[in-house]
């Protein structure tokens, strides 16, 4: 996926959607155990890793899927190992872990 494609996908952004990776449900429980202790939004959405946020309006999903699907289908399954926990600051008293 080129920079221009990514740029065009984020040109009319909305904070109501994101492009995310969702892990296999078989590993959710270990993630949810941590979230139960530290994430007040645990019931709002499933475990995920955000790739692009904000993303595009829902009305554009049907048009975007043909662009995104071939890229995703070309990625072999991979393992993620969380070796360190950290956070970033993004505004007055706003942090993401």
């Amino acid at each position: 996926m080129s920079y221009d494609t990514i740029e065009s996908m984020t040109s009319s952004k909305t904070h109501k959607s994101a492009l995310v990776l969702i892990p296999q449900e078989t590993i959710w429980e270990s993630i949810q155990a941590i979230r139960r202790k530290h994430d007040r939004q645990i019931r709002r959405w499933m475990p995920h890793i955000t790739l692009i946020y904000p993303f595009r309006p829902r009305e554009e999903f049907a048009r975007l899927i043909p662009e995104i699907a071939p890229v995703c289908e070309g990625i072999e399954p991979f393992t993620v190992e969380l070796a360190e926990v950290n956070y970033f600051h993004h505004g007055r008293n706003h942090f993401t872990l």
Side-chain angles (χ1 to χ4, degrees):
M1 187 176 308
S2 71
Y3 174 79
D4 291 336
T5 300
I6 293 170
E7 184 63 26
S8 72
M9 288 191 308
T10 59
S11 61
S12 66
K13 303 178 224 179
T14 177
H15 292 275
K16 295 182 179 182
S17 70
L19 182 63
V20 302
L21 292 178
I22 301 171
Q24 295 176 338
E25 286 189 47
T26 56
I27 66 167
W28 282 19
E29 184 48 40
S30 59
I31 298 166
Q32 295 297 69
I34 296 168
R35 293 182 73 208
R36 274 192 281 284
K37 290 182 180 181
H38 304 286
D39 185 358
R40 67 178 187 248
Q41 300 294 341
I42 186 171
R43 289 176 185 84
R44 190 168 182 179
W45 41 69
M46 77 290 290
H48 66 281
I49 298 171
T50 303
L51 299 176
I52 302 175
Y53 174 82
F55 193 54
R56 300 294 289 236
R58 183 180 177 121
E59 300 79 40
E60 295 183 27
F61 287 5
R63 183 181 63 79
L64 294 171
I65 289 171
E67 293 179 41
I68 296 170
V71 174
C72 295
E73 291 165 359
I75 299 171
E76 293 294 323
F78 58 93
T79 300
V80 174
E81 181 178 323
L82 301 178
E84 180 181 344
V85 176
N86 213 322
Y87 68 91
F88 62 91
H89 179 237
H90 52 92
R92 196 169 116 187
N93 293 324
H94 291 88
F95 299 88
T96 298
L97 181 65

